Amino acid sequence: MQENNFRVNPHSLKTNISRVETDKLVTRGYNQRDLIEKIRYSDMVYLILKGRLPSLKEGKIFNQVLVSFCDHGVTPPSTQTARLIASSGSPMNSAVAGALLSFGHKHAGAIEKTMQLYQSRVNSIYRTEDSDIDNKQIASLAIDIYNEYMSSDEKIPGFGHRYHNVDPRADKLMELVIKEGFIGPHVKLALALEDLIYQKKNIRLNVDGANAAILSDLGFTPDLGLGVFIIGRIPGIIAHIHEEKMDEEEFRRFCDLDDIIYEGGRYDGIY
């Protein structure tokens, strides 16, 4: 008889995030009873994602990042999707899921792409523990990026906004990191790029470009960029869903028949 070598691993799930015991919950090595009392929600998010508590400066800046993402009115596709689903009578979780599913390359996808750009260019320069990238190297990186994207007629991610000439969120975030003295190589690169692109194209950093630089200097990898954006944006989405349910008629019309232009073939009957 052939021996059956198939074995089931009794410990198939492994995690470094939390340990659950009877009457006790430990998260990243901390008793959650203590965390509830002693840290802010943004610090908890940082701890969960990064595996350690932030310093006072890191925690302050990360909180500012989350606040900057919170809402942008009814203009984004995700918010409109959430309100449309809520209007149909769907529950909160369905409307939130619809909003999250609407994030894509053109909406919310820029932050990951921008983080990849900044980090790949900064990492391309050799650095030792005793040295940092100087301003001349940063300026050279910015020029190289600008020339590469212009030669291929591509838009540099993290710049420009369809509603704002100056994105007030990006402008404020850069003001705050400068005030806090939190200016790492990725923020330096973003500012150098902004100076160059503004001179050439009259285009400024947007919130994704600013936060991509800040999150990169905080040590976040690009694959977490969209996740941080989602954490920041969900309160706004929930507020819009709630407002839709409370203040608007169910199954309300988002457009009238007169707003729709039919461009298909003309129907003249069946012959």
Side-chain angles (χ1 to χ4, degrees), residues 154-206:
E154 290 183 68
K155 180 182 175 183
I156 300 175
F159 289 85
H161 198 283
R162 59 179 177 162
Y163 293 113
H164 307 299
N165 294 320
V166 179
D167 190 329
R169 301 162 297 177
D171 196 48
K172 186 63 176 181
L173 285 164
M174 291 294 101
E175 175 189 319
L176 290 171
V177 293
I178 291 171
K179 180 180 177 180
E180 291 292 331
F182 190 81
I183 309 175
H186 303 96
V187 168
K188 287 182 181 179
L189 179 56
L191 291 172
L193 260 175
E194 182 178 44
D195 286 343
L196 184 58
I197 296 170
Y198 183 69
Q199 291 174 21
K200 302 287 188 180
K201 298 284 187 178
N202 198 33
I203 295 173
R204 301 283 299 275
L205 267 172
N206 60 35

Side-chain angles (χ1 to χ4, degrees), residues 91-110:
M92 175 69 74
N93 60 304
S94 296
V96 171
L100 297 183
L101 289 171
S102 73
F103 292 145
H105 176 65
K106 299 294 184 180
H107 174 35

Side-chain angles (χ1 to χ4, degrees), residues 7-264:
R7 296 179 181 177
V8 177
N9 186 348
H11 304 291
S12 58
L13 289 177
K14 296 180 180 179
T15 180
N16 291 313
I17 300 171
S18 295
R19 184 176 76 251
V20 180
E21 303 174 3
T22 303
D23 301 331
K24 186 176 182 181
L25 178 59
V26 178
T27 300
R28 296 292 194 187
Y30 295 91
N31 191 317
Q32 210 170 107
R33 285 176 57 90
D34 298 331
L35 295 174
I36 290 170
E37 179 183 6
K38 295 179 180 179
I39 69 172
R40 298 177 298 180
Y41 173 71
S42 57
D43 294 332
M44 186 65 171
V45 173
Y46 192 100
L47 172 65
I48 286 282
L49 296 181
K50 293 279 291 174
R52 65 173 179 84
L53 286 169
S55 67
L56 290 177
K57 182 180 290 188
E58 289 171 333
K60 184 176 181 179
I61 290 169
F62 186 64
N63 185 68
Q64 292 163 352
V65 168
L66 292 180
V67 171
S68 74
F69 278 139
C70 235
D71 192 51
H72 196 273
V74 192
T75 63
S78 57
T79 307
Q80 295 173 23
T81 300
R83 295 191 75 128
L84 183 63
I85 294 172
S87 178
S88 73
S90 296
M92 175 69 74
N93 60 304
S94 296
V96 171
L100 297 183
L101 289 171
S102 73
F103 292 145
H105 176 65
K106 299 294 184 180
H107 174 35
I111 186 166
E112 183 174 336
K113 190 174 182 180
T114 311
M115 289 176 73
Q116 289 171 342
L117 173 64
Y118 292 162
Q119 292 184 26
S120 65
R121 299 311 172 94
V122 168
N123 290 339
S124 69
I125 296 180
Y126 177 76
R127 300 170 65 191
T128 67
E129 293 183 2
D130 299 322
S131 66
D132 203 349
I133 300 176
D134 60 36
N135 292 337
K136 187 175 181 180
Q137 290 172 305
I138 291 290
S140 179
L141 285 178
I143 292 170
D144 288 345
I145 291 171
Y146 179 83
N147 289 337
E148 286 177 25
Y149 276 81
M150 292 304 105
S151 65
S152 58
D153 197 28
E154 290 183 68
K155 180 182 175 183
I156 300 175
F159 289 85
H161 198 283
R162 59 179 177 162
Y163 293 113
H164 307 299
N165 294 320
V166 179
D167 190 329
R169 301 162 297 177
D171 196 48
K172 186 63 176 181
L173 285 164
M174 291 294 101
E175 175 189 319
L176 290 171
V177 293
I178 291 171
K179 180 180 177 180
E180 291 292 331
F182 190 81
I183 309 175
H186 303 96
V187 168
K188 287 182 181 179
L189 179 56
L191 291 172
L193 260 175
E194 182 178 44
D195 286 343
L196 184 58
I197 296 170
Y198 183 69
Q199 291 174 21
K200 302 287 188 180
K201 298 284 187 178
N202 198 33
I203 295 173
R204 301 283 299 275
L205 267 172
N206 60 35
V207 70
D208 292 319
N211 280 329
I214 295 170
L215 290 173
S216 293
D217 280 342
L218 283 170
F220 286 88
T221 53
D223 61 300
L224 284 174
L226 178 57
V228 174
F229 174 86
I230 290 171
I231 293 167
R233 181 54 58 92
I234 279 181
I237 289 171
I238 291 173
H240 280 282
I241 294 167
H242 181 67
E243 182 179 73
E244 183 70 30
K245 287 179 174 290
M246 293 297 103
D247 298 348
E248 301 292 344
E249 295 181 3
E250 289 186 357
F251 204 63
R252 72 178 172 115
R253 291 180 296 182
F254 281 76
C255 65
D256 292 318
L257 288 177
D258 292 340
D259 297 325
I260 303 169
I261 299 174
Y262 175 67
E263 295 182 334

